[in-house]
Amino acid sequence: MATTSEPSVPIRTQMAVYGAGAFSNSMANFAGVLVPLWVVTFGVSGSLIGLVFGVRHLLPMILSIHGGALMDRLGTRSVMLFFAAVNASVPLLFPLFPNVWAAMAIQAVAGFATSMGWVGAQTLIGQVMSGSATHAGRLTLAVRVGHLAGPVLAGAAWDLAGPWGAFFTMSVWGWLGFLAALCLPSPQPGADAPRKRIAGRDLRFRWSDYVAAFRMLAVPAILFVMMITMLRNAGNIVQHSFYVVYLDEVVGMAGTAIGILTSFAAITGVGGALSVGPLSRKFPSQWLLLLTVAGAVVMITLTPLLGGFILLAAAIGLRGAFLGISQPLMISMLARAAGGEDHGKRVGLRNTANRLTGFVVPILMGALVDVVGIENGFYLIGGTVVFLLVLVGAWAFRRPGMEGPE
């Protein structure tokens, strides 16, 4: 990655972007601890559990490009505020409706609201921070802080206060994200000012937005990021679903211990996020991204081979470091790949790829768990993802221009 001068961004704007991104993104970490613990109390099959996890990604898979286009048209702050309020409100619906089918519906709404907050934060990296790898690294650093605190709070709240206390804690965390989004400037510097009055036609679903977004896949760097996004997220989905189920049901860990393990990945992810600037100046971004994603997938795949807490912590810690490096690289490469406008559509396209994996992998792994057992499910999913990463690397080796415009 070529070295470029860093854009000057007011510290208030930076903190608002990082805060909004961290609180919205880490809601998935709360859900990654609480929803598995909640769903296993219903005594349902692995396939049904997988469906509960997968449905969280259904609406983002379908509507992320539309959401990104709304941010381009109406202003990122306005869209983020709406979804932040939804994000903060829906957790209390879980204990209010203690049913596996209700959990699926709530997961669908919560997943879309969470993803739109995260899409907005990434969009602002392009809109107000010129796709800076340093600012993307700081956003990732803030997200890792949320990942550190969220699972521990979730696990402890579950152990101490039960489902109501745990989901109430999650709701409070979501309202902190709303407050952060409220601090975003309006209109955003460097972006078109949002309209003062929003008409109904502005909110309409437009096929032209999807056509424009998918045309971006003609840019090799964007296509590369999309493929890496899907494969990286496969490992994330395993961690946020059957990893917790495995630790709970097979290893027999308490919720607090599971939260501590998950948070340890966030601690090491901080180091990864801080190192991405220097590393991206020494190594080609595409290869650094590919290798760190492969390392992260391998670390989650090895879970059934690791018997004790120390080994599990070491593996999840290495995984967190790899994720901390790869995430800002993806954000920065995507923001720089095509330059110009349509930052929201571009991030929405990546989120669509992300959520497609998030929808398919839990359902597939749930079916595998029913057939071959949870341990073999880890090996089959992980081995397949690593093989596909090798194929993507071979494709990228033959394609110049992965860095995007200077």
Side-chain angles (χ1 to χ4, degrees), residues 62-97:
I62 299 170
L63 297 175
S64 284
I65 292 173
H66 177 57
L70 288 178
M71 292 177 188
D72 289 334
R73 285 200 298 271
L74 308 177
T76 306
R77 179 180 182 272
S78 299
V79 179
M80 288 180 72
L81 279 172
F82 172 79
F83 283 107
V86 175
N87 207 17
S89 302
V90 294
L92 293 177
L93 296 177
F94 281 105
L96 192 62
F97 299 99

Side-chain angles (χ1 to χ4, degrees), residues 2 16 31-32 41 55 89 119 124 128 138 164 172 228 246 254 277 292 300 333 340-341 344 350 373 380 384-385 405:
T41 64
V55 78
S89 302
V119 165
L124 290 170
V128 308
R138 291 173 185 169
W164 272 106
V172 171
I228 293 295
Y246 178 81
T292 53
I300 197 68
M333 285 184 67
E341 304 300 326
R350 188 177 87 85
L380 287 172
T384 301
V385 172

Side-chain angles (χ1 to χ4, degrees), residues 277-325:
L279 287 173
S280 65
R281 288 190 288 270
K282 293 182 179 179
F283 303 102
S285 294
Q286 67 268 30
W287 302 122
L288 186 59
L289 176 59
L290 186 69
L291 290 175
T292 53
V293 169
V297 172
V298 169
M299 289 302 104
I300 197 68
T301 302
L302 294 177
T303 296
L305 297 176
L306 309 174
F309 186 87
I310 299 299
L311 290 177
L312 286 167
I316 202 70
L318 282 172
R319 172 174 164 78
F322 289 138
L323 292 176
I325 296 170

Side-chain angles (χ1 to χ4, degrees), residues 132-386:
S132 162
T134 298
H135 288 300
R138 291 173 185 169
L139 174 61
T140 298
L141 173 61
V143 167
R144 289 299 176 269
V145 173
H147 290 187
L148 169 62
V152 173
L153 287 173
W158 180 272
D159 288 340
L160 296 174
W164 272 106
F167 286 113
F168 177 78
T169 303
M170 184 177 176
S171 178
V172 171
W173 192 263
W175 284 113
L176 292 175
F178 178 86
L179 292 177
L182 201 61
C183 293
L184 289 168
S186 181
Q188 288 100 44
D192 292 337
R195 301 179 184 181
K196 294 181 180 179
R197 300 183 66 178
I198 298 175
R201 64 178 178 275
D202 296 324
L203 304 176
R204 287 183 306 180
F205 183 95
R206 300 181 185 179
W207 283 112
S208 59
D209 292 331
Y210 283 71
V211 172
F214 281 107
R215 280 178 177 168
M216 295 177 185
L217 294 177
V219 180
I222 292 180
L223 180 58
F224 177 77
V225 172
M226 296 305 141
M227 291 189 290
I228 293 295
T229 289
M230 295 179 71
L231 297 175
R232 179 183 184 271
N233 196 46
N236 292 346
I237 297 306
V238 172
Q239 179 182 334
H240 292 156
S241 55
F242 284 94
Y243 179 75
V244 176
V245 173
Y246 178 81
L247 296 180
D248 179 50
E249 294 196 329
V250 179
V251 180
M253 281 190 182
T256 301
I258 294 172
I260 290 172
L261 271 181
T262 308
S263 293
F264 185 60
I267 295 174
T268 56
V270 168
L274 290 173
S275 68
V276 71
L279 287 173
S280 65
R281 288 190 288 270
K282 293 182 179 179
F283 303 102
S285 294
Q286 67 268 30
W287 302 122
L288 186 59
L289 176 59
L290 186 69
L291 290 175
T292 53
V293 169
V297 172
V298 169
M299 289 302 104
I300 197 68
T301 302
L302 294 177
T303 296
L305 297 176
L306 309 174
F309 186 87
I310 299 299
L311 290 177
L312 286 167
I316 202 70
L318 282 172
R319 172 174 164 78
F322 289 138
L323 292 176
I325 296 170
S326 62
Q327 187 174 57
L329 285 173
M330 289 190 301
I331 295 171
S332 178
M333 285 184 67
L334 188 62
R336 289 164 49 83
E341 304 300 326
D342 294 332
H343 292 284
K345 291 190 190 72
R346 208 176 312 160
V347 177
L349 180 63
R350 188 177 87 85
N351 202 49
T352 298
N354 223 339
R355 303 308 171 173
L356 176 61
T357 315
F359 180 68
V360 171
V361 169
I363 297 173
L364 175 61
M365 190 164 179
L368 286 174
V369 165
D370 284 341
V371 175
V372 302
I374 192 167
E375 293 91 347
N376 290 328
F378 276 89
Y379 304 142
L380 287 172
I381 293 292
T384 301
V385 172
V386 171

